[in-house]
Amino acid sequence: MLAALIVALFTSSGEIDISVDRTHAPQTSANFLSYVRRGAFTGGTFFRTVLTQPDNQPHNRVKIDVIQATNRPGFAPGTPVAFEPTSKTGLHHRDGTVSMARDPEPNSARTDFFICIGAQPSLDDGGHRSADHRGFAAFGQVVRGMDVVRAIHDAPHHEQALTPPIVIRRSVIRP
């Protein structure tokens, strides 16, 4: 069994520490860690907040609460990572779960990731947030800094766009 690694995100709103589960989600966590090592998130942003209260997702029947981050401008992501559904990994979208964002089809996740605020079972395999009901690939858990996550979730926004985006000043793997 591989030990979990901690990734620290130093944002303009504070620090978020993520425990990356290399045992249960080996491909997804390897993908995320490779981007951290390559500096993809240093200079990236949390650019999106999705809220149920007040509702800023009027076109979605299934409502969720998450914040989403992306890589720094000019960074060229690699090939998409193979999809690891929650039914395979046993990981679920609970408060503080970190998961890969993807296009409508599985096997399309690259660098963007999101953090759940509260339990989000509709994001698990079989859930109804994604059209194919396959859900999203969970791979980590916030272990410190949920107050920062909640502050980002509640930050000023226009529709789902954070205004301004929250800058990830630095991302590192803790020794």
Side-chain angles (χ1 to χ4, degrees):
M1 179 184 301
L2 296 171
L5 291 177
I6 302 296
V7 170
L9 302 175
F10 298 92
T11 78
S12 54
S13 292
E15 184 180 341
I16 302 167
D17 288 353
I18 298 167
S19 176
V20 178
D21 190 333
R22 299 185 305 159
T23 299
H24 295 96
Q27 293 175 66
T28 309
S29 61
N31 176 71
F32 179 74
L33 291 168
S34 75
Y35 286 126
V36 172
R37 288 183 182 105
R38 291 171 49 203
F41 301 116
T42 297
T45 59
F46 280 96
F47 68 95
R48 181 176 181 222
T49 184
V50 184
L51 303 111
T52 55
Q53 294 297 321
D55 181 3
N56 69 353
Q57 46 195 316
H59 304 294
N60 293 101
R61 184 178 54 80
V62 178
K63 310 297 184 182
I64 59 172
D65 283 285
V66 301
I67 58 173
Q68 186 173 338
T70 192
N71 54 268
R72 65 179 158 78
F75 183 85
T79 58
V81 63
F83 181 62
E84 292 178 304
T86 57
S87 59
K88 176 183 174 187
T89 64
L91 304 175
H92 297 283
H93 290 89
R94 298 187 171 109
D95 191 38
T97 296
V98 184
S99 191
M100 295 303 296
R102 66 175 175 95
D103 292 334
E105 65 280 347
N107 301 314
S108 61
R110 293 178 190 262
T111 58
D112 284 17
F113 64 94
F114 63 88
I115 302 174
C116 295
I117 293 86
Q120 305 298 325
S122 65
L123 299 174
D124 288 343
D125 195 4
H128 295 285
R129 178 62 180 211
S130 58
D132 62 6
H133 304 287
R134 294 302 314 276
F136 297 82
F139 66 91
Q141 182 68 37
V142 173
V143 292
R144 190 168 72 113
M146 273 307 289
D147 57 329
V148 175
V149 170
R150 291 182 201 292
I152 294 170
H153 190 239
D154 294 335
H157 61 279
H158 175 71
E159 297 176 348
Q160 293 183 8
L162 286 162
T163 55
I166 305 302
V167 176
I168 302 170
R169 293 181 175 147
R170 190 166 53 109
S171 62
V172 298
I173 299 171
R174 291 211 186 271

